[in-house]
Amino acid sequence: MERSADDRLLAFAADHHAVFRGNHARLCGLTDRQISGRIALGLWHRVYEDSYIAAGAPLTWKGALLAACWAGGFRAAASHRSAAALWGLAGGRRSVVEITCPRWRRAKQHGLVVHETKVFEGIDIADIEGIPVTTPERTLLDLGAVCHESVVEMALDAAQHRNLVTRASVARTLSRLGKRGRNGAGTLRRLLAAREPERRSPESEMETMLIRCLRRNGWPEPVPQYEIRHGRVFVARVDAAYPQWRIAIEYQSDEHHSGRRASERDNDRRLRIMAAGWFPVEATLPDVRSGGARLSAALRAVRAKAA
């Protein structure tokens, strides 16, 4: 039995985060008069211009984001903090709907942030669950305009660690789009210039915060994710290290280092590091949040011992 126009439209909406446009309704077989009638009767609720959701269906953040991209027209895409949330990067926010498009001619709406740009090519747009979104490289560039540098660094580290970007791909995007005066370009350029080309990326946002804390206290850049070896034998991979002083720094989180078994495992690991001639130093969340004075004192004492 052939499905009705309304059934076809509901099936379409089910695959598009519950939202649809007037044009989608027409393609499913509804006339303009039927569309107007459903809106007047309250069977459909308007999300953004010419985008709707059926009464009773929950409007999710992704649904609102997709509807906003449709309203933005040609090459509109989720960007900045919304794009970071879709990619699972630091700086992501679901409390706003944020898009970029070549031109926005519609009235401002609550909770919607629109960025207009003349430099927005297809190469800068990807797709996540049917939602057009800026590529990870473009997202990192845009984040520099709306987030603190520390947040952009955490996002960059995570994107590299998850192989969403490479140093080369970020540099190419920066070279193509990061002209003088462009918001966010200076932040990303500084971050790239400060890191070695072959530098490993920290595995967590807290490790990135740890490295930033060390910098603020005047310590040189440590080597993230350093592999300690005793001769040719692998001993451990630590969060950060100063090989010149044989100092191994480990970030200790309560989530992953609680319980008797975890404590025994950590102690065994610490002893193996010490047996290899290294000096282990623990860093905790309070150390990082308080500015790192206690951590710096511990590092100075260990460095003196190593000397």
Side-chain angles (χ1 to χ4, degrees), residues 68-244:
C69 291
W70 286 340
F74 178 66
R75 282 188 180 164
S79 65
H80 297 72
R81 289 158 292 195
S82 288
L86 285 173
W87 289 113
L89 300 175
R93 284 181 57 190
R94 290 175 175 244
S95 57
V96 296
V97 171
E98 195 162 13
I99 68 170
T100 291
C101 56
R103 184 152 181 83
W104 179 265
R105 297 181 179 179
R106 298 157 183 83
K108 293 183 179 180
Q109 300 190 48
H110 178 70
L112 177 62
V113 179
V114 179
H115 303 269
E116 294 185 25
T117 179
K118 295 180 180 178
V119 186
F120 204 37
E121 305 174 27
I123 193 176
D124 296 316
I125 301 176
D127 180 283
I128 294 180
E129 298 182 31
I131 303 172
V133 57
T134 51
T135 61
E137 292 86 353
R138 176 66 187 250
T139 300
L140 291 169
L141 177 61
D142 290 339
L143 275 179
V146 294
C147 295
H148 189 272
E149 184 174 305
S150 61
V151 175
V152 182
E153 183 170 14
M154 287 189 285
L156 175 59
D157 283 340
Q160 286 188 291
H161 176 66
R162 290 166 49 199
N163 295 319
L164 294 177
V165 304
T166 64
R167 179 189 174 91
S169 70
V170 174
R172 285 194 298 270
T173 298
L174 189 57
S175 175
R176 181 168 54 87
L177 300 174
K179 306 302 181 185
R180 184 178 296 276
R182 181 179 184 84
N183 291 338
T187 297
L188 194 56
R189 188 175 290 111
R190 284 192 300 274
L191 291 174
L192 282 186
R195 58 185 61 197
E196 296 294 330
E198 302 303 320
R199 171 188 184 268
R200 277 186 171 177
S201 297
E203 290 188 345
S204 70
E205 293 179 3
M206 289 309 305
E207 290 175 24
T208 301
M209 291 176 62
L210 168 63
I211 293 172
R212 290 185 64 88
C213 177
L214 293 171
R215 285 196 212 117
R216 288 196 303 271
N217 282 274
W219 290 90
E221 187 81 5
V223 181
Q225 293 301 308
Y226 186 83
E227 290 188 355
I228 296 176
R229 293 182 177 273
H230 193 41
R232 294 185 178 182
V233 179
F234 173 80
V235 176
R237 188 172 70 176
V238 296
D239 297 331
Y242 289 115
Q244 65 271 41

